[in-house]
Amino acid sequence: MANAPSPVRWGILSTAKIGREKVVPGMLRSKELQIVAVASRDAARAAEFAAACGAARAYGSYEALLADPEVEAVYNPLPNHLHVPLTLAAARAGKHVLCEKPIAITAAEAEALRDVPPGIHVAEAFMIRHHPQWQKAIEIVASGQIGELSVVQVAFSYFNADPANIRNRKDIGGGGLLDIGCYALMSGRLLFGADPMRATAIIERSAAFGTDTLSSGLFDFGAGRHLGFSVSTQLVPFQRVQALGTKGRIEIEIPFNPPPDATTRIFVDDGTRLGGRNAREIVFPPVDQYQLQAEAFGRTVRGLAPVVGGIEDAILNMRALDALVRAGDSGRWEAV
């Protein structure tokens, strides 16, 4: 296409696992972007990763990458406590930033991102927004096919007892709520098309790590709409989303980590036969949601589309998570 925009030139901050194994492989599938630089505090690791993803330059510091004039957009997959400071540093260096979720540890910290320079875009990397299965589920809810949506139920768990893993380090923003509880919350926000008003929770914390390892919560979205969930970092790996309306339900089988090389499916069920025996299956061809996410942000960088999941949206998400943490401590309903 003669008038196709030039590929967005990306820099990758750190050699974090999610970047190496999920996000960057998805980005490399795209013709709409080019990874031109990688940075790590370990120069050798940066060089190794740069070679693996075809980047021309590797830097032994984040600051050096941010000073690279060829880098237009930055992907920030650093540990949670570095999301805001490095995103701000990148934005002040004139780079657009796709930052891993959660965008901050607290809403107050996230509010600092309002100081990004004019014209610089920042988005929180909830890749599920871009997967066709989620877009279809949202479309079905909006169409009224399942009647009035009243309940969203989410289960999400994995087992990780490694004391060195960042998810088990309280001092840098570890714990299940920030890591995967944010997906449960986002599920309700996407399907209800609204934000919660209040929250209550039961939170179990690890004696060894101090992090939350099992959390069950309830968000009140008003008008008789409830989001209930349980998330854990020390249970059998599992994930599922159920959306229950007055006339039917939607089940998303693999809502958060659908494989990029296999079909995925959701079920729409009118409930006339128990056990889902009357459910209609909708199958989606293989897609890489991380590729779609990077391409969507690239269109924003090129001025072709509004930002998806920008700073104000991310602050709203953090406010709801803050309320959940307060509720776990107080044992009461807490306003968002």
Side-chain angles (χ1 to χ4, degrees):
M1 187 181 301
N3 296 321
S6 60
V8 175
R9 301 184 302 277
W10 286 77
I12 311 299
L13 286 181
S14 95
T15 57
K17 183 177 179 180
I18 189 171
R20 294 195 321 271
E21 297 186 1
K22 300 290 186 180
V23 180
V24 170
M27 295 172 76
L28 290 174
R29 294 173 183 259
S30 177
K31 296 180 180 179
E32 297 180 20
L33 60 89
Q34 180 184 8
I35 298 174
V36 298
V38 171
S40 171
R41 289 173 295 183
D42 183 328
R45 286 176 62 86
E48 180 182 2
F49 190 32
C53 59
R57 294 177 294 285
Y59 295 108
S61 74
Y62 307 136
E63 294 76 15
L65 183 145
L66 298 183
D68 186 334
E70 292 298 309
V71 173
E72 297 178 274
V74 166
Y75 169 58
N76 178 0
L78 290 160
N80 293 343
H81 71 302
L82 295 177
H83 284 180
V84 168
L86 265 296
T87 294
L88 278 175
R92 289 166 179 163
K95 317 302 183 186
H96 305 281
V97 186
L98 177 64
C99 181
E100 260 310 324
K101 55 81 213 162
I103 207 161
I105 295 178
T106 66
E109 185 188 28
E111 288 170 1
L113 293 171
R114 287 175 171 151
D115 292 335
V116 301
I120 295 297
H121 298 292
V122 173
E124 188 174 25
F126 276 105
M127 69 291 182
I128 62 172
R129 296 178 187 268
H130 305 280
H131 198 289
Q133 66 175 358
W134 275 95
Q135 295 172 347
K136 185 64 175 179
I138 293 166
E139 176 190 316
I140 291 170
V141 170
S143 74
Q145 289 182 48
I146 64 167
E148 184 178 341
L149 178 64
S150 293
V151 171
V152 175
Q153 296 178 329
V154 180
F156 194 6
S157 58
Y158 60 80
F159 197 97
N160 184 334
D162 178 5
N165 189 279
I166 60 171
R167 292 165 182 80
N168 293 321
R169 290 186 55 189
K170 184 178 180 181
D171 60 322
I172 60 173
L177 281 175
L178 288 178
D179 189 41
I180 54 178
C182 58
Y183 284 114
L185 170 58
M186 184 56 66
S187 299
R189 293 183 67 210
L190 291 176
L191 291 168
F192 286 130
D195 291 302
M197 301 168 58
R198 59 178 183 156
T200 190
I202 302 172
I203 300 175
E204 307 293 339
R205 292 183 170 85
S206 165
F209 307 139
T211 55
D212 57 285
T213 53
L214 172 61
S215 299
S216 295
L218 182 64
F219 281 107
D220 176 8
F221 280 75
R225 297 174 297 178
H226 301 168
L227 164 64
F229 70 90
S230 291
V231 297
S232 177
T233 61
Q234 292 192 5
L235 286 178
V236 60
F238 180 72
Q239 54 185 263
R240 197 65 51 94
V241 169
Q242 300 276 1
L244 282 65
T246 53
K247 297 179 181 178
R249 72 176 177 92
I250 301 170
E251 178 178 351
I252 306 179
E253 185 179 39
I254 310 177
F256 309 118
N257 303 122
D261 55 355
T263 59
T264 53
R265 58 185 183 171
I266 66 174
F267 302 94
V268 183
D269 185 9
D270 64 8
T272 54
R273 300 178 69 192
L274 293 179
R277 288 180 292 168
N278 204 44
R280 174 170 60 95
E281 180 181 274
I282 303 176
V283 179
F284 301 87
V287 297
D288 192 313
Q289 60 186 348
Y290 297 103
Q291 174 187 349
L292 299 178
Q293 172 180 254
E295 290 175 344
F297 191 67
R299 288 190 289 274
T300 297
V301 169
R302 288 285 175 261
L304 302 175
V307 66
V308 177
I311 292 170
E312 294 305 318
D313 184 271
I315 291 171
L316 289 172
N317 219 56
M318 292 309 308
R319 285 178 179 168
L321 288 172
D322 284 356
L324 202 71
V325 173
R326 293 197 306 272
D329 292 336
S330 71
R332 299 188 300 268
W333 283 97
E334 296 285 345
V336 172

